[in-house]
Amino acid sequence: MIDVAKWADYLFEAARRADAVQPVSELEKALTIDHAYAIQDALLERRLAAGERIVGAKVGLTSRAKQQEMGIDQPIFGWLTDAMALETGSSLSRSTVIHPRAEPEIVFIVRRTLAGPGVGVHQVLEATSAVCCGLEVIDSRFVDFRFSLADVIADNTSASRFVLGSTSVDPAGIDLSLLGCLLEENGTIVATAAGAAILGHPASAVAQLANFLGRRGRSLEPGWIVMSGGLTAARALNAGTHVMATFAHLGRVGLRTEP
Ligand code: OOG
Ligand code: MG
């Protein structure tokens, strides 16, 4: 067995210092996916011990755009805490992060406890109170955003910050697979997508997460948010960048970085 606590400390400190580190897999050749999720859970324990609270979970690498960007072709699961939440309209201070990128996402708000096995799109929609739009700020703790599947899982799937749009909508009346999304950077449209970019339907990502949690004796809990994954490739948040995502039905959500 590998030293899970050691690698959790390694990644916790890298995030705290906002200083990139070498991928765990290059230093720990025996690293498996199971080890990686154990490190991720130990990392969560450190955040909880520091007073943070779980507010939800995320699925990553659910669109072809994201899978091609990172060179990994399967979804990954991670945790979201209150310390990651940014207020709408706030700006991100780049001194607290390493090399942040923003990506537009469809966000589910959980109405009732949900866990696999056997969860599909229908059960997810049934267990969802509302959907809204969001921007996730990812900030890999690894040098140059270079990592293996196990590395990015250990690093809590690069989760760093998130901001949610202020409009939330009952998904019952909407076909989320057709939900259009425009991504703008400093006023120029840089990408477009529809909800179907996420595994054919964004609720499939939430279903995969619920089934994953069920296998581990956990569940999605009422009031949690679930980020279903970037619809487009992420945009680097350099100094003075303004990223804005506009969605059909869900309004818009923006984020600035300090100049
Ligand atoms: C991994 C996290 C991916 C998403 O929405 O696809 C992710 C990364 O790209 O660093 O959050
Ligand atoms: Mg994401």
Side-chain angles (χ1 to χ4, degrees):
M1 189 57 190
I2 67 160
D3 190 342
V4 169
K6 172 178 125 183
W7 295 116
D9 289 338
Y10 176 75
L11 291 168
F12 187 74
E13 283 305 310
R16 201 184 55 78
R17 291 193 318 266
D19 203 3
V21 293
Q22 205 182 336
V24 177
S25 64
E26 291 176 7
L27 303 163
E28 182 69 79
K29 301 285 187 228
L31 187 73
T32 65
I33 303 300
D34 283 344
H35 294 146
Y37 277 111
I39 295 170
Q40 186 191 101
D41 284 344
L43 202 48
L44 175 69
E45 288 308 321
R46 280 156 182 68
R47 284 181 170 271
L48 299 181
E52 296 181 30
R53 189 169 53 81
I54 299 176
V55 294
K58 60 168 282 191
V59 194
L61 307 181
T62 49
S63 66
R64 276 184 64 75
K66 279 297 303 179
Q67 293 182 352
Q68 280 170 353
E69 178 189 12
M70 305 323 298
I72 296 175
D73 65 357
Q74 54 181 289
I76 53 179
F77 310 101
W79 297 108
L80 299 174
T81 72
D82 59 341
M84 300 177 188
L86 293 173
E87 291 297 322
T88 314
S90 62
S91 58
L92 178 72
S93 154
R94 290 184 74 264
S95 63
T96 59
V97 283
I98 304 165
H99 39 204
R101 299 178 180 178
E103 50 195 22
E105 307 212 7
I106 296 169
V107 184
F108 290 71
I109 300 161
V110 179
R111 183 170 62 80
R112 63 169 176 77
T113 304
L114 186 67
V119 174
V121 166
H122 179 76
Q123 287 91 333
V124 168
L125 292 174
E126 224 269 313
T128 299
S129 59
V131 289
C132 65
C133 62
L135 285 171
E136 185 183 22
V137 176
I138 51 171
D139 189 37
S140 176
R141 267 54 67 168
F142 301 120
V143 177
D144 298 335
F145 252 92
R146 184 174 43 81
F147 45 68
S148 68
L149 173 62
D151 287 318
V152 66
I153 290 168
D155 186 28
N156 194 29
T157 67
S158 309
S160 175
R161 304 281 195 281
F162 64 84
V163 56
L164 302 181
S166 53
T167 307
S168 46
V169 171
D170 181 349
I174 304 177
D175 182 345
L176 293 178
S177 66
L178 293 177
L179 200 73
C181 164
L182 298 184
L183 184 66
E184 287 166 87
E185 183 176 309
N186 299 334
T188 302
I189 295 177
V190 290
T192 60
I198 305 298
L199 300 171
H201 190 295
S204 321
V206 184
Q208 288 202 12
L209 172 61
N211 289 322
F212 168 80
L213 290 174
R215 287 195 295 278
R216 296 160 52 93
R218 304 192 74 141
S219 43
L220 293 174
E221 303 298 340
W224 279 14
I225 64 163
V226 178
M227 302 201 74
S228 60
L231 293 141
T232 69
R235 303 295 300 183
L237 288 169
N238 299 319
T241 304
H242 182 209
V243 170
M244 170 81 80
T246 307
F247 286 77
H249 303 287
L250 305 183
R252 47 188 13 199
V253 58
L255 181 68
R256 289 177 188 283
T257 50
E258 289 170 353

